[in-house]
Amino acid sequence: MKAGSLRHPPDARSRYSKQTMRNNVLARWNSLDPATAAREALPCCGSQAWSVALASRRPIADEASLINASTSIWLALPEEAWQEAFDSHPRIGQSHAQTNATEESLRWSTQEQRTALSENNTAKLALEEATRRYEQKFGRIFIVCATGKTSAEMLAILEARMKNDAATELRESAEQQRQITQLRLHRWLESE
């Protein structure tokens, strides 16, 4: 073989991202019956319509295809399906949701809010008060992709979003849920 020609070292597989390798979680999920597949995906979003539609798109080849399918399904859902997903989240700082949420979803919510919940009580109390005002104005809990955000950061985001009209805020909440779902899908695929 000439110098500079393409060779794969023995550990070539390690050079490729996990996304391009066969994912055992996704492969197993692709083999499930539709109802079980929908139930298994539900903690990632909380909308029954989303999870049923996602399960109906199987087989899904890889993480990028899963994220793309999830996003296109989510954006096409009616407001009622979005609300169902919103209701599956606990309020920031709480451990239970307004509706029945899966144990895994609640566990993930706790992990996502970890940074904010580890702060002093003053910041958490200010955020709790602001979320009450948000709920009074918009009629639903405040949805934000909380991963890595402090209470002060979430409070600033909430205060900015309080200036939104109802339609704009619904779209922003849906975008935040899309981001949460994407992070959760990634976490789910890494759970093997």
Side-chain angles (χ1 to χ4, degrees):
M1 194 176 246
K2 289 183 175 181
S5 62
L6 184 60
R7 281 190 0 216
H8 292 290
D11 66 340
R13 184 178 142 132
S14 66
R15 301 172 99 201
Y16 300 97
S17 72
K18 186 174 184 173
Q19 184 175 343
T20 61
M21 291 187 277
R22 178 177 163 90
N23 182 284
N24 291 333
V25 172
L26 190 56
R28 185 188 60 73
W29 182 70
N30 279 330
S31 71
L32 297 173
D33 67 88
T36 303
R39 193 170 43 253
E40 195 166 296
L42 188 61
C44 296
C45 179
S47 164
Q48 294 283 339
W50 171 87
S51 65
V52 167
L54 189 65
S56 75
R57 296 265 184 109
R58 295 170 310 136
I60 296 177
D62 56 31
E63 183 175 350
S65 299
L66 180 67
I67 297 298
N68 289 337
S70 170
T71 297
S72 67
I73 291 165
W74 176 251
L75 295 176
L77 289 175
E79 183 177 333
E80 298 78 34
W82 288 357
Q83 187 63 49
E84 182 182 21
F86 302 158
D87 289 345
S88 73
H89 291 279
R91 288 178 176 91
I92 294 172
Q94 295 186 354
S95 60
H96 64 279
Q98 293 179 336
T99 61
N100 293 331
T102 67
E103 288 300 316
E104 188 162 29
S105 177
L106 294 174
R107 191 171 37 258
W108 285 344
S109 289
T110 299
Q111 292 170 355
E112 292 158 359
Q113 296 179 28
R114 185 177 301 141
T115 301
L117 300 179
S118 65
E119 295 181 327
N120 66 47
N121 277 342
T122 304
K124 288 191 284 189
L125 291 173
L127 185 57
E128 284 178 26
E129 173 54 34
T131 59
R132 278 193 286 280
R133 286 187 290 111
Y134 178 95
E135 288 179 28
Q136 289 173 348
K137 180 174 180 177
F138 294 110
R140 67 176 165 275
I141 68 166
F142 174 61
I143 300 294
V144 64
C145 187
T147 301
K149 291 182 177 69
T150 66
S151 292
E153 289 171 321
M154 286 194 284
L155 181 59
I157 292 167
L158 187 150
E159 293 295 350
R161 286 172 53 186
M162 285 290 286
K163 297 173 186 167
N164 288 340
D165 60 54
T168 301
E169 183 53 27
L170 175 63
R171 287 189 303 276
E172 181 58 33
S173 295
E175 171 56 21
Q176 293 297 310
Q177 177 63 53
R178 187 198 63 76
Q179 292 175 26
I180 293 165
T181 301
Q182 185 172 334
L183 289 171
R184 289 182 174 192
L185 285 167
H186 180 72
R187 185 178 295 137
W188 174 53
L189 292 179
E190 289 185 336
S191 67
E192 59 182 321

